[in-house]
């Protein structure tokens, strides 16, 4: 018993360690999870899931996959999907089925798999894996349109691929006589009816209970999790593995309801999903044997090559014909399609089920899926950036600064950053506040940055940092708290509280972001200094004119706000762990009398307007 407990604990540690290392090294986490699984299973024999967990192994995998697919469904907001391009919708509606059919044909005629295994495998490989594509897009810095094509295909195709697999599996069970007393059409229709109705009813029940206050806040996330597992299990009693469709529908319905606490519950689900994805991937990799690897012969290699070089390009080029996407965008989408954890988990689930149903080569499904996952991650991970550059689809912008609030001094800061080619945007619901920014051709968002419209219109990935600079400290804290999960708490800043603010008026330390300026420099202080003629000055450091020389040359009361690295990275002085170095450009808020160049003439002063 202690041995099993130790193995479970080590699997969790290995999974989180792989996720952390992937974050530090900017690698797809699935690569390191794969290595961890190989070390835990085939390489050392430390973990043997079938023997260690016995009969509960497959139910545990099934429940984990259900939670993962439910969380995927929670990301599908109809408004966001409807606003994407025609190409995205065509890839989803036409490209998915084309990939399924052609992959199944390739798996049978080239890979040598039996028809039942080939058909289910074709459905599974429709997915392209948001857990893999998202970090790749972040690193590649694609332009908005091609990034949207790849992102939304990955998000939507996760549950769609699982849906296809459920349908294929049910059809196969009917054809081999596992389902008695019903025709093929009846079983397929029943699968859809029961699964869709069950997911919809469960979601509406959760919505009713949460909105009416029947469930207290601290129980909402646990009850939601328990309901997902129950809905999955009950639907499976009617039709085997139809519960996967049920939980996907449940997630989609909840994602499109107006539940105020849905954001908090989604973060809770994301946390669980990261843990489950890591653990399940290690377990599935550890379950592979030497014989499984040996089954990947030259026919398997040809199958993978046909999937990458024929099936995917043909399906995407056909689906996006006349969609308005450029040839470069279609070419990129036809090549980039990395598979991820969901594909492996679902293949492990259905591979075992088909093997139990008497399909001889069903166990090869997992090995084939691993081959596709590893090949696509390596090839697409290393070629996405160079191919995007070759096709001229990389974003010309570097991640910049999002400013919540439009006081005049903040507009001056935005002008200075814009002149330095740093992307910047000001968001404010007061038209008069942003009028001057618009006249200066500084990008603006007219509206509340916390509104649903801002959520759809402002892409947080365009910005590395947010500063909240309104005159309302509580609102600044709310903005930073809302954007912290997206940008990271170390990248959201707000104006410091006034020095005379009492403890009774101060907010809880768990709310808000980092202080933007030193203590005592609040909204009123900055506004008054701006009225007195203070301006923002940019000073470039060199080997001769270093940071110490800069400090000696500036006015004692000048405020060093941030510095811009040669790469375009913004480092705010309040949260910095180091000091500026050569070629960094320091942005300071300086008295009017200090509008002068540094020792080597590299400083550029902003004239008072």
């Amino acid at each position: 018993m202690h041995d099993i407990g130790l193995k479970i604990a080590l699997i969790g540690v290995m999974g989180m360690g792989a996720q952390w290392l992937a974050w530090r090294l900017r690698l797809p986490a699935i690569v390191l999870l794969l290595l961890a699984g190989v070390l835990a299973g085939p390489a050392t024999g430390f973990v043997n899931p079938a023997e260690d967990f016995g009969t509960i192994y497959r139910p545990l995998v099934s429940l984990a996959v259900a939670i993962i697919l439910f969380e995927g469904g929670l990301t599908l907001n109809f408004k966001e999907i409807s606003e994407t391009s025609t190409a995205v919708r065509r890839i989803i509606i036409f490209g998915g089925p084309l990939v399924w059919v052609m992959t199944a044909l390739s798996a049978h005629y080239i890979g040598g798999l039996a028809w039942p295994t080939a058909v289910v495998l074709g459905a599974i490989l429709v997915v392209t894996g948001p857990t893999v594509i998202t970090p790749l897009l972040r690193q590649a810095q694609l332009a908005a349109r091609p990034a949207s094509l790849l992102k939304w295909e990955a998000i939507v195709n996760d549950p769609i691929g699982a849906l296809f697999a459920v349908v294929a599996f049910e059809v196969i069970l009917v054809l081999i006589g596992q389902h008695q007393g019903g025709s093929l059409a009846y079983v397929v229709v029943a699968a859809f009816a029961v699964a869709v109705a069950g997911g919809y009813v469960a979601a509406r029940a959760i919505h009713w209970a949460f909105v009416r206050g029947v469930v207290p806040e601290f129980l909402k996330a646990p009850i939601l999790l328990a309901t997902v597992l129950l809905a999955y299990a009950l639907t499976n009693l009617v039709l085997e593995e139809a519960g996967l469709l049920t939980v996907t529908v449940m997630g989609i319905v909840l994602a499109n309801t107006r539940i105020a606490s849905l954001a908090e519950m989604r973060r809770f689900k994301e946390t669980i999903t990261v843990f489950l994805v890591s653990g399940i991937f290690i377990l599935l990799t550890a379950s592979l044997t030497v014989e499984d690897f040996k089954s990947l012969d030259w026919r398997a290699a040809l199958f993978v090559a046909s999937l990458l070089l024929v099936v995917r390009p043909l399906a995407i080029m056909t689906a996006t014909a006349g969609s308005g996407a450029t040839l470069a965008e279609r070419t990129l989408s036809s090549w980039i399609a990395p598979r991820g954890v969901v594909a492996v988990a679902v293949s492990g689930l259905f591979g075992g089920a088909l093997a139990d149903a008497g399909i001889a080569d069903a166990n090869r499904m997992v090995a084939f899926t691993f081959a596709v996952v590893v090949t696509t991650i390596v090839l697409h991970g290393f070629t996405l950036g160079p191919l995007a550059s070759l096709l001229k689809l990389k974003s010309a912008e570097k991640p910049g600064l999002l400013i919540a609030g439009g006081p005049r001094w903040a507009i001056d800061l935005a002008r200075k950053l814009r002149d330095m080619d740093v992307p910047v945007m000001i968001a404010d619901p007061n038209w008069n506040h942003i009028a001057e920014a618009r006249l200066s051709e500084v990008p603006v968002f007219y509206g509340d940055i916390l509104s649903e419209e801002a959520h759809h219109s402002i892409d947080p990935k365009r910005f590395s940092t947010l500063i909240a600079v309104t005159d309302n400290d509580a609102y600044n804290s709310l903005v930073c708290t809302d954007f912290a999960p997206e940008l990271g708490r170390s990248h959201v800043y707000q104006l410091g509280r006034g020095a005379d603010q009492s403890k009774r008026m101060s907010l809880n330390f768990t709310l808000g972001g980092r202080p933007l300026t030193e203590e005592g420099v609040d909204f009123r202080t900055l506004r008054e200094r701006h009225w007195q003629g203070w301006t923002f000055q940019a000073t470039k450091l060199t080997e001769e004119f270093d940071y110490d020389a800069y400090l000696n040359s500036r006015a004692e009361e000048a405020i060093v706000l941030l510095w811009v690295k040669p790469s375009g990275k913004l480092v705010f002085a309040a949260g910095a762990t180091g000091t500026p170095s050569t070629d960094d450009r320091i942005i300071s808020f300086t008295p009017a009398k200090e509008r002068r160049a540094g020792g080597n003439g590299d400083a550029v002063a902003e004239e008072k307007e």
Side-chain angles (χ1 to χ4, degrees):
M1 190 69 179
H2 294 293
D3 184 43
I4 295 296
L6 176 62
K7 290 183 178 181
I8 294 174
L10 288 178
I11 288 171
V13 170
M14 292 173 71
M16 294 304 98
Q19 292 278 2
W20 178 84
L21 194 58
W23 168 73
R24 291 291 296 178
L25 300 178
R26 294 189 175 185
L27 293 173
I30 196 170
V31 174
L32 298 179
L33 291 172
L34 175 67
L35 293 176
V38 171
L39 288 175
T44 63
F46 176 73
V47 176
N48 187 329
E51 293 183 3
D52 293 339
F53 298 98
T55 57
I56 68 169
Y57 170 58
R58 190 173 299 163
L60 285 176
V61 173
S62 301
L63 292 173
V65 173
I67 295 172
I68 292 169
L69 290 179
F70 172 74
E71 197 274 331
L74 278 178
T75 65
L76 300 182
N77 187 295
F78 289 142
K79 183 174 182 179
E80 294 181 10
I81 296 174
S82 66
E83 292 175 353
T84 56
S85 66
T86 303
V88 175
R89 294 193 292 272
R90 289 197 180 183
I91 288 175
I92 294 168
I93 296 172
F94 302 111
L98 284 174
V99 169
W100 180 10
V101 172
M102 289 190 289
T103 302
L105 293 172
S106 178
H108 177 70
Y109 289 109
I110 298 177
L113 297 179
W115 273 118
T117 306
V119 171
V120 176
L121 179 62
I124 293 170
L125 293 181
V126 167
V127 306
T128 53
T131 57
V132 180
I133 197 67
T134 301
L136 291 182
L137 292 177
R138 191 178 298 120
Q139 295 171 27
Q141 296 181 339
L142 290 184
R145 184 174 164 115
S148 176
L149 289 174
L150 295 173
K151 181 186 75 170
W152 282 111
E153 180 197 6
I155 291 175
V156 178
N157 274 352
D158 249 13
I160 285 180
L163 185 155
F164 287 167
V166 169
V167 173
F169 181 73
E170 294 297 333
V171 170
I172 289 169
L173 290 184
V174 171
L175 294 178
I176 65 176
Q178 292 288 323
H179 279 164
Q180 302 295 329
S183 65
L184 174 62
Y186 171 80
V187 172
V188 172
V189 171
F192 270 87
V194 172
V196 173
Y200 180 83
V201 170
R204 298 308 300 181
I206 285 290
H207 177 263
W208 178 87
F210 286 6
V211 171
R212 296 297 181 90
V214 177
V215 179
E217 288 295 324
F218 76 96
L219 283 179
K220 284 184 177 180
I223 286 179
L224 178 60
L225 178 61
T227 305
V228 170
L229 298 178
L230 180 63
Y232 170 77
L234 289 178
T235 308
N236 280 355
L237 292 178
V238 181
L239 289 169
E240 192 171 0
E241 303 307 338
L244 296 177
L245 179 56
T246 299
V247 296
T248 302
V249 171
M250 184 178 173
I252 293 173
V253 173
L254 281 176
N256 291 275
T257 57
R258 301 182 67 85
I259 300 179
S261 54
L262 186 60
E264 290 79 6
M265 289 186 290
R266 184 182 288 117
R267 291 181 192 129
F268 171 75
K269 298 289 292 180
E270 288 173 352
T271 301
I272 294 180
T273 299
V274 169
F275 194 85
L276 290 177
V277 161
S278 304
I280 291 301
F281 196 82
I282 290 176
L283 281 176
L284 289 171
T285 308
S287 67
L288 293 175
T289 63
V290 176
E291 288 71 22
D292 292 327
F293 287 108
K294 289 182 178 179
S295 69
L296 298 174
D297 53 12
W298 63 270
R299 300 191 68 174
L302 286 179
F303 163 72
V304 175
S306 68
L307 185 63
L308 270 63
L309 302 177
V310 179
V311 172
R312 172 75 181 183
L314 185 59
I316 296 302
M317 286 297 186
T318 302
T320 57
S323 65
T326 66
L327 179 61
E329 292 168 344
R330 296 168 65 198
T331 301
L332 185 71
S333 297
S334 66
W335 170 245
I336 302 299
R339 273 64 171 187
V341 174
V342 171
V344 174
V346 175
S347 68
L349 181 63
F350 284 109
L354 287 175
D356 292 343
I359 305 300
D361 62 353
N363 288 326
R364 297 183 67 196
M365 185 188 300
V366 177
F368 270 59
T369 305
F370 266 103
V372 173
V373 167
V374 173
T375 304
T376 55
I377 286 176
V378 173
L379 289 181
H380 298 160
F382 284 104
T383 60
L384 176 57
L387 181 59
S389 297
L390 181 64
L391 297 173
K392 299 181 179 179
L393 292 177
K394 276 203 169 187
S395 174
E397 289 188 346
K398 299 175 182 178
L401 178 65
L402 179 59
I403 303 176
R408 297 196 64 182
W409 64 266
I411 295 174
D412 284 351
L413 172 62
R415 287 197 195 101
K416 173 60 66 178
L417 292 173
R418 179 206 59 193
D419 293 342
M420 297 168 60
D421 295 326
V422 176
V424 62
M425 174 181 283
I426 296 178
D428 197 294
N430 189 319
W431 182 261
N432 293 325
H433 288 177
I434 61 173
E436 184 178 344
R438 293 180 67 252
L439 292 175
S440 302
E441 297 184 350
V442 173
V444 299
F445 174 79
Y446 172 50
D448 197 311
I449 197 171
L450 297 176
S451 67
E452 188 171 353
E453 182 63 30
H455 173 72
H456 297 306
S457 302
I458 301 176
D459 182 8
K461 293 182 178 59
R462 290 181 51 207
F463 307 100
S464 62
T465 312
L466 173 138
I467 61 173
V469 296
T470 72
D471 60 352
N472 187 323
D473 181 56
Y475 181 77
N476 292 339
S477 298
L478 181 60
V479 171
C480 289
T481 302
D482 186 67
F483 276 82
E486 184 73 31
L487 298 178
R489 290 199 174 274
S490 59
H491 296 285
V492 291
Y493 296 83
Q494 67 183 102
L495 280 179
R497 280 77 170 179
D500 58 346
Q501 190 174 45
S502 66
K503 291 184 178 180
R504 185 181 296 274
M505 299 300 293
S506 62
L507 298 176
N508 191 289
F509 73 95
T510 60
L511 300 176
R514 291 184 171 191
L516 179 64
T517 57
E518 59 192 44
E519 186 176 354
V521 181
D522 56 6
F523 182 90
R524 183 176 59 185
T525 302
L526 291 172
R527 181 181 59 186
E528 290 176 351
R529 291 182 180 179
H530 185 264
W531 286 344
Q532 294 167 7
W534 284 46
T535 58
F536 285 95
Q537 176 175 291
T539 307
K540 183 179 180 181
L541 300 183
T542 65
E543 292 183 1
E544 295 78 16
F545 186 70
D546 59 12
Y547 188 52
D548 290 334
Y550 166 78
L551 292 178
N552 292 330
S553 70
R554 74 183 182 109
E556 184 177 349
E557 65 269 29
I559 301 172
V560 175
L561 189 63
L562 74 150
W563 54 89
V564 184
K565 308 292 288 185
S567 63
K569 179 181 178 181
L570 304 179
V571 181
F572 279 79
T577 56
T579 58
S581 55
T582 302
D583 292 331
D584 290 352
R585 291 173 292 175
I586 301 176
I587 306 295
S588 60
F589 196 41
T590 306
K593 63 182 179 181
E594 283 299 311
R595 269 185 261 118
R596 55 189 173 88
N600 63 344
D602 284 325
V604 179
E606 179 79 48
E607 293 295 332
K608 180 181 176 182
E609 298 189 55

